[in-house]
Amino acid sequence: MTVSAMPPKTVALIAAVALTIGWLFAAVLTPPVAKLQTLPQPAVRRPAVKDPMPSAERLQLRLRQAPVAPTPRRNPFVFGARERERERVVSSGGSSRPAPSSPQVEALPQSAVISGPAYTLAGIGASGDVRTAVLSDGITVHLVKVGDSIGGYRVATITETAITVTDAAGASHTLRLKN
């Protein structure tokens, strides 16, 4: 029987068997791979410490010579602190040079004590005929209805755009929505 008369599946099977046998014989007959050999590293010799005190003294000397962080001259989060500091230095005689002249600011007139509630009207909501006002004191939000008390004030009326509160003396204050 000739090779051309064999079916292609048989030829492929014979070729696969031949390759597998060749691969197995190659694995068995190859010499083992030599292990990687390296030269031993020479031991690092450290000088023997005669006295630990000199190194400790050197460290203390370095610590004394270490730079110190500068202390801030002013706080950038406090408005006007620089002027107050300059006035304090000049008044204590800490500096022989005069303080740089700054524009004169007239003293603001003392404002009267704020009378009235410290609340702002943030919103008004309605559910049917019942209205609820949203008041804010800058920290907390309060929901109040007619007749409720808040911070010494009693809610008298709530309209679509304003709320009227009365204090213990009977004085009324109107808070309006900001446009």
Side-chain angles (χ1 to χ4, degrees), residues 7-172:
K9 287 184 180 180
T10 309
V11 173
L13 181 64
I14 293 172
V17 170
L19 283 173
T20 306
I21 291 172
W23 177 70
L24 288 173
F25 277 127
V28 171
L29 298 177
T30 15
V33 178
K35 292 184 180 179
L36 183 62
Q37 296 179 357
T38 59
L39 295 174
Q41 293 292 330
V44 178
R45 291 185 160 215
R46 296 182 186 251
V49 178
K50 296 178 184 175
D51 186 13
M53 287 304 289
S55 63
E57 290 172 4
R58 278 191 309 239
L59 287 174
Q60 288 176 355
L61 180 63
R62 281 189 184 176
L63 286 174
R64 279 187 241 130
Q65 294 174 348
V68 178
T71 56
R73 296 183 352 189
R74 66 182 187 94
N75 184 353
F77 301 104
V78 177
F79 183 73
R82 189 174 195 179
E83 294 298 323
R84 284 186 243 133
E85 179 69 21
R86 189 177 297 138
E87 291 171 5
R88 184 178 59 82
V89 168
V90 170
S91 66
S92 66
S95 174
S96 59
R97 59 185 169 136
S101 62
S102 60
Q104 295 295 326
V105 178
E106 294 181 18
L108 297 174
Q110 294 293 331
S111 60
V113 176
I114 298 174
S115 63
Y119 298 101
T120 57
L121 183 58
I124 296 176
S127 175
D129 294 337
V130 179
R131 289 195 176 120
T132 303
V134 181
L135 298 177
S136 172
D137 60 3
I139 299 172
T140 309
V141 175
H142 306 275
L143 301 175
V144 293
K145 296 178 183 175
V146 174
D148 290 350
S149 295
I150 180 169
Y153 296 94
R154 182 173 276 313
V155 178
T157 60
I158 300 176
T159 65
E160 291 180 3
T161 59
I163 177 174
T164 305
V165 294
T166 57
D167 60 9
S172 64

